[in-house]
């Protein structure tokens, strides 16, 4: 990572929750005469970051007009993406995954080298033979576990992973095929804010004990419980993707100033203590965590309605937000590994050879993206962001 500096005579004001605020041990703002820390000076002097092009290890591209409308946001700054299979109907076979990949390639911008990496949707009826076909296809890189009813288009998901999917999981071990997990139970008696914790205790920990060689990615983690599980597991076998929304928002964002449907996603945002635990984990330099936006586009009218869809569209702002989080933590030197190295290393793939530039340049997020069929409201709509991604 190449870093360029410029000199400032002051530290720029941080965001309200920024870790850069200088405070005394009792929590009172420090005096103006207090000498800034080396970490704060490092943050204030940063102007440009030349980074290995990142990959998105958890992305929803949808299909049809929605796919055509959103794919360019991801293709512009990511080299590759693990594409989620929860379409209607779901992508349950290697043949369907190959066809879906072709439909993505057809609508990519010209001169674009974006590589969509496909996944299979695990069901109660998936057979081990399909895993062999997926591995030999050359385009399928993982299998996605949706507990039935857990999130958007998960109605065809798994109802009994140990009773109906064990032979498939055993074949995945043989084929070195990772299992991507939406880690929530769907028992209506379990509080929605506890579903990730209960999933770890009742499903994930027993699964890892039963199949210790199975590679597992716990997707879009939201709790300190998930952080503890990942950190206590064997490195190289268990990892986690982390979204920008779960790094910068807590559950207050769902209700501040009224119900905020564009901040609603699944797993749902959690308490501030969980957000802080995730920030600490990803900015620590651990190889177990990597970028996965979970960018999930929905038309505005399907979000702002009596029964709004779960999902946050962040593809256009994700890199700016990740960079801000690492800046506030004084960990910009660890950003490139999180965005560009940890993911391909876990999957056993080469790192990208091209670069992107993150420049300290304020820009305003559009209020919405308009299309002939409707509009999409992005994360941070109308807000000013401080880091702007571009090609080197």
């Amino acid at each position: 990572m190449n870093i360029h500096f410029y000199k400032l005579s002051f530290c720029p004001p941080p965001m309200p929750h920024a870790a850069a605020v200088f405070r005394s041990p009792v929590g009172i703002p420090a005096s103006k005469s207090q000498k800034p820390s080396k970490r704060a000076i490092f943050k204030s002097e940063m102007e440009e970051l030349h980074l290995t092009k990142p990959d998105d290890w958890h992305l929803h591209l949808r299909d049809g007009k929605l796919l055509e409308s959103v794919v360019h946001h991801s293709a512009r700054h990511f080299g590759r993406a693990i594409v989620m299979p929860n379409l209607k109907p779901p992508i349950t076979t290697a043949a369907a995954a190959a066809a879906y990949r072709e439909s993505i390639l057809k609508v990519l911008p010209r001169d674009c080298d974006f590589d969509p990496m496909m996944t299979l949707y695990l069901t109660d009826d998936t057979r081990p033979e399909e895993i062999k076909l997926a591995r030999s296809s050359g385009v399928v890189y993982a299998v996605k576990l949706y507990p039935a009813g857990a999130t958007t288009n998960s109605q065809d998901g798994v109802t009994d992973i140990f009773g109906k999917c064990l032979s498939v999981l055993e074949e995945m071990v043989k084929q070195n095929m990772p299992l991507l997990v939406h880690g929530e139970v769907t028992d209506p008696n379990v509080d929605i804010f506890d579903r990730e914790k209960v999933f770890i205790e009742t499903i994930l920990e027993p699964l890892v004990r039963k199949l210790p060689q199975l590679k597992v990615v716990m997707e879009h983690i939201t709790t300190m419980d998930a952080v503890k599980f990942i950190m206590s597991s064997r490195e190289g076998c268990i990892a986690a993707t982390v979204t920008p929304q779960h790094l910068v928002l807590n559950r207050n964002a769902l209700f501040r100033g009224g119900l905020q449907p564009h901040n609603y996603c699944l797993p749902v945002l959690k308490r501030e203590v969980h957000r802080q635990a995730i920030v600490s984990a990803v900015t620590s330099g651990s190889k177990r965590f990597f970028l996965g936006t979970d960018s999930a586009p929905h038309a505005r009218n399907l979000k702002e309605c009596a029964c709004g869809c779960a999902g946050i569209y962040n593809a256009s702002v994700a890199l700016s937000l990740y960079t801000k989080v690492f800046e506030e933590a004084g960990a910009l030197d660890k950003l490139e590994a999180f965005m560009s190295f940890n993911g391909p290393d876990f999957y056993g793939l080469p790192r990208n050879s091209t670069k992107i530039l993150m420049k300290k340049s304020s820009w305003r997020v559009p209020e919405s993206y308009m299309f002939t069929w409707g509009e999409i409201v992005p994360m941070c709509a109308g807000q000013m962001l401080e880091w702007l991604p571009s090609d080197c």
Side-chain angles (χ1 to χ4, degrees), residues 22-36:
F22 305 125
R23 296 193 179 278
S24 69
V26 294
I28 300 173
S31 66
K32 294 181 180 179
S33 62
Q34 182 173 328
K35 185 178 180 180

Side-chain angles (χ1 to χ4, degrees), residues 118-281:
M118 312 313 294
T119 58
L120 294 190
Y121 185 116
L122 185 64
T123 74
D124 290 346
D125 298 321
T126 303
R127 294 291 174 259
E129 292 72 25
E130 197 61 51
I131 304 303
K132 296 177 183 178
L133 291 172
R135 174 54 75 195
S136 64
S137 72
V139 300
V140 176
Y141 289 83
V143 176
K144 182 62 182 279
L145 166 62
Y146 290 105
T151 189
T152 303
N153 295 342
S154 62
Q155 62 274 8
D156 298 307
V158 172
T159 63
D160 181 2
I161 189 167
F162 295 108
K164 298 185 177 180
C165 300
L166 194 56
S167 62
V168 172
L169 298 176
E170 290 170 341
E171 185 61 38
M172 289 173 61
V173 172
K174 295 177 183 178
Q175 299 295 332
N176 195 30
M177 180 78 72
L179 178 69
L180 314 183
V181 175
H182 182 111
E184 292 187 289
V185 297
T186 56
D187 183 344
N189 295 314
V190 177
D191 189 287
I192 192 170
F193 293 104
D194 296 330
R195 291 180 179 179
E196 183 170 279
K197 179 177 184 293
V198 174
F199 183 90
I200 293 170
E201 295 170 345
T202 61
I203 303 294
L204 202 48
E205 288 179 340
L207 177 62
V208 171
R209 286 195 299 268
K210 193 171 189 67
L211 294 172
Q213 299 304 313
L214 179 66
K215 298 192 75 166
V216 177
V217 180
M218 191 172 184
E219 304 274 38
H220 42 51
I221 63 168
T222 67
T223 62
M224 66 173 63
D225 307 282
V227 170
K228 291 177 182 177
F229 171 75
I230 299 299
M231 293 302 293
S232 66
S233 300
R234 188 154 65 96
E235 187 174 292
C237 280
I238 311 296
T241 58
V242 182
T243 75
Q245 56 264 30
H246 292 111
L247 287 171
V248 303
L249 301 177
N250 62 35
R251 64 186 186 181
N252 290 341
L254 287 166
F255 311 108
R256 187 176 292 117
L259 191 62
Q260 301 297 325
H262 298 288
N263 288 337
Y264 171 53
C265 60
L266 289 173
V268 71
L269 301 172
K270 302 299 195 301
R271 294 167 56 201
E272 175 63 10
V273 66
H274 295 294
R275 187 194 70 81
Q276 291 179 7
I278 298 169
V279 170
S280 295

Side-chain angles (χ1 to χ4, degrees), residues 373-392:
W373 52 265
E375 61 181 319
I376 297 173
V377 177
M379 185 178 178
C380 300
Q383 297 181 30
M384 296 296 297
L385 299 182
E386 297 181 9
W387 288 91
L388 180 66
S390 64
D391 297 329
C392 288

